[in-house]
Amino acid sequence: MKYTQNKKTYIFILFIIVLSFTTYANDNIQIFMNDTPLYMDVEPVIINGRTMVPFRAIFESINAEIGWDEITRTAIGTKDNTRIELPIGQSYGVVNGITTNLDVPATIINGRTMVPLRFVTENMGFEVLWNGETRTIYLSDNGTPVVINDPSVLDKEFTFYDLGIGSSESDLKSKLGDPQRIDTSIYNFSWYVYNSDYLNYIQLGVKNGVVVAIYTNNANWVSKSGITLGTPKNTIISRYGTEIKSIIKGNVEVGYSNSDPNDEYGLYLIEDSYTRFFYDFINSKTVTSIFIVDKATELELQTFYGTPSEALRKSMERQIFDLANSTRVRFGLKVLEWNDLVAGTARKHSIDMAANNYFAHKNSDGEMASDRGENDGINYLRYAENIAAGQPNGIYAHEAWMNSLGHRENLLGDIDRLGVGVALGGLYDIYYTQNFYTPD
């Protein structure tokens, strides 16, 4: 299947007076120190995305000695074996003699010296967590990770292991542990992949310490409305209404599904997050997985495929492998073994399709999948291949394969090994190849 990007270009004539590149915002930010509210005589402010706090108040709250160099106009804080120097108006700070660049320098606002909170506290040994949902900063220096069981998260329509969009990274790790892998995504977040138990497979997108995306094809979740895996598509439509066909991003309208009634997924805006319900049309049009991205993160993705990189390519290959196995386990089938040799064969075919602008099992030399496997020294009893092109990421490619009978049979077949190869570029922007085989 080829996914298309529908565009509507709008032309605006704008007259803009630029007053300043610096933005200030007082957003009633709350700060907790080891679960205790931290009060300051001057409210924290956000400058270009960084929280600034009064110099004296923050250093006194962490029991640091305070100093001031009038000649260099430098604020100084010392605690135990750590000395921090913050020259006013300079885009750097100094920690124990080592200079580090700052996004926002120490500055004076209304006669008060304001310094970057995260830079100061992290260099003094604190864990720092920002909860964007409640505009709260949590600081901890007692060795215990900051854990937030945010009622606003637990009250959401969709929760997974008591986690949801807006949960903190610390809360995520306290419930699920460290991820087995951290992957690059097409969005501006990292996928935390939990694949140690394929029956409970889940990916969570984390950005700036907050969960901003979730994908899972496991059955261990439910919505407040009772939606879960196996829910009929008609029930989804009855509950959430008409599907969204496109999203306006800046001056471009991006199409994410078409008028085909057998689209693999339905897109909805639910609780300020774009939610995709993927359907199994071969199995009575029921929900087979769910993919949620918070609205702000989705709107940041101005391209259809993200920024191409080697890390992104590798991440998609491993995720497609995981999705195959998590699906197989759900159907009571054995886990496939990753094979580097056949992955190389698959990757070469994806690269060939991208380089020569075609989409077919027969390559530019007239060779079929089994021919390419034999050429690479693969001895097999069974051999199969799935290909896809144009899907934004591996999730879409996998779900499309599962809704195509022949591809589905390959994914759920009696086979032992799997390799995945992805290539970025070409006419369709991205090409996916899965090669399955059982050794002779």
Side-chain angles (χ1 to χ4, degrees):
M1 170 174 279
K2 165 65 176 171
Y3 279 71
T4 59
Q5 180 177 0
N6 303 320
K7 297 182 179 179
K8 291 182 181 177
T9 302
Y10 303 88
I11 300 175
F12 298 91
I13 299 176
L14 301 178
F15 295 91
I16 302 174
I17 299 175
V18 180
L19 299 177
S20 173
F21 290 105
T22 303
T23 58
Y24 297 80
N26 183 339
D27 292 305
N28 298 318
I29 298 168
Q30 303 177 77
I31 302 176
F32 284 79
M33 175 80 71
N34 295 330
D35 298 325
T36 301
L38 184 61
Y39 299 103
M40 298 183 177
D41 59 339
V42 175
E43 292 292 328
V45 296
I46 294 177
I47 302 179
N48 291 346
R50 296 297 181 186
T51 302
M52 307 292 285
V53 293
F55 157 67
R56 179 175 294 277
I58 189 59
F59 278 109
E60 286 181 345
S61 69
I62 61 177
N63 298 316
E65 296 182 7
I66 299 170
W68 172 260
D69 188 324
E70 182 61 36
I71 296 175
T72 61
R73 292 177 57 77
T74 299
I76 303 168
T78 306
K79 182 180 180 182
D80 299 327
N81 296 318
T82 302
R83 175 184 171 92
I84 296 177
E85 302 171 43
L86 292 163
I88 301 300
Q90 302 298 317
S91 58
Y92 66 87
V94 181
V95 181
N96 292 338
I98 299 174
T99 300
T100 302
N101 291 332
L102 297 174
D103 295 333
V104 179
T107 189
I108 294 178
I109 301 175
N110 297 328
R112 300 300 298 271
T113 300
M114 307 293 281
V115 296
L117 173 67
R118 183 178 290 274
F119 179 81
V120 168
T121 52
E122 284 188 343
N123 280 295
M124 286 296 186
F126 284 77
E127 181 189 3
V128 183
L129 175 68
W130 164 252
N131 187 319
E133 291 277 329
T134 59
R135 307 200 65 74
T136 304
I137 296 170
Y138 297 85
L139 306 174
S140 174
D141 68 342
N142 57 17
T144 302
V146 178
V147 176
I148 308 170
N149 288 304
D150 191 340
S152 66
V153 170
L154 298 181
D155 193 45
K156 287 184 176 295
E157 173 72 358
F158 302 101
T159 54
F160 310 78
Y161 308 105
D162 291 334
L163 299 164
I165 300 297
S167 290
S168 70
E169 180 181 3
S170 295
D171 198 12
L172 163 61
K173 290 184 176 180
S174 74
K175 290 180 170 65
L176 300 182
D178 290 328
Q180 280 70 62
R181 195 175 68 245
I182 298 178
D183 284 347
T184 302
S185 77
I186 64 173
Y187 295 89
N188 187 24
F189 61 71
S190 297
W191 278 121
Y192 282 32
V193 179
Y194 291 84
N195 64 0
S196 61
D197 176 5
Y198 276 127
L199 201 58
N200 295 294
Y201 182 79
I202 191 169
Q203 300 175 196
L204 299 105
V206 177
K207 175 184 175 183
N208 296 332
V210 177
V211 174
V212 296
I214 299 170
Y215 170 83
T216 187
N217 56 6
N218 77 52
N220 297 322
W221 62 273
V222 67
S223 75
K224 288 193 300 181
S225 302
I227 306 300
T228 188
L229 256 63
T231 297
K233 179 178 180 179
N234 289 340
T235 303
I236 299 293
I237 295 173
S238 175
R239 171 63 181 85
Y240 301 112
T242 304
E243 299 170 356
I244 296 172
K245 296 302 181 183
S246 62
I247 301 173
I248 302 295
K249 297 185 175 184
N251 64 342
V252 175
E253 181 177 357
V254 182
Y256 282 90
S257 58
N258 55 42
S259 58
D260 183 351
N262 290 329
D263 253 359
E264 283 85 30
Y265 68 93
L267 174 64
Y268 296 89
L269 183 60
I270 302 171
E271 294 182 338
D272 226 26
S273 293
Y274 285 104
T275 302
R276 294 162 176 86
F277 298 100
F278 285 92
Y279 299 115
D280 184 346
F281 279 92
I282 295 176
N283 185 22
S284 303
K285 298 184 181 180
T286 56
V287 174
T288 189
S289 66
I290 185 171
F291 179 23
I292 307 173
V293 181
D294 90 295
K295 182 178 180 180
T297 302
E298 181 68 60
L299 295 180
E300 284 179 354
L301 182 64
Q302 294 293 305
T303 64
F304 204 54
Y305 300 97
T307 303
S309 69
E310 181 66 5
L312 179 62
R313 184 192 65 76
K314 289 181 178 179
S315 293
M316 289 195 187
E317 289 181 351
R318 300 305 298 200
Q319 286 177 30
I320 289 173
F321 175 77
D322 283 337
L323 293 175
N325 274 329
S326 57
T327 302
R328 287 176 62 88
V329 168
R330 205 174 81 208
F331 278 83
L333 302 172
K334 66 184 178 184
V335 171
L336 299 177
E337 177 185 338
W338 174 271
N339 184 267
D340 282 328
L341 181 59
V342 81
T345 303
R347 193 172 302 119
K348 285 187 288 187
H349 187 54
S350 290
I351 291 170
D352 188 55
M353 288 191 290
N356 293 289
N357 290 328
Y358 72 93
F359 178 62
H361 289 287
K362 182 184 288 187
N363 70 8
S364 55
D365 294 325
E367 298 168 330
M368 297 301 291
S370 57
D371 300 324
R372 295 191 295 273
E374 290 175 357
N375 292 342
D376 287 341
I378 297 173
N379 297 314
Y380 60 86
L381 287 174
R382 299 182 184 87
Y383 200 97
E385 179 174 89
N386 286 344
I387 59 174
Q391 289 84 355
N393 62 29
I395 292 171
Y396 295 83
H398 171 79
E399 301 294 352
W401 282 326
M402 285 299 294
N403 275 308
S404 170
L405 190 57
H407 298 93
R408 183 188 185 100
E409 289 174 350
N410 289 339
L411 276 160
L412 303 181
D414 183 13
I415 206 115
D416 291 341
R417 299 180 184 179
L418 170 61
V420 182
V422 172
L424 307 178
L427 181 64
Y428 288 173
D429 293 291
I430 185 167
Y431 295 79
Y432 308 87
T433 302
Q434 288 179 314
N435 283 153
F436 306 81
Y437 84 102
T438 296
D440 187 352

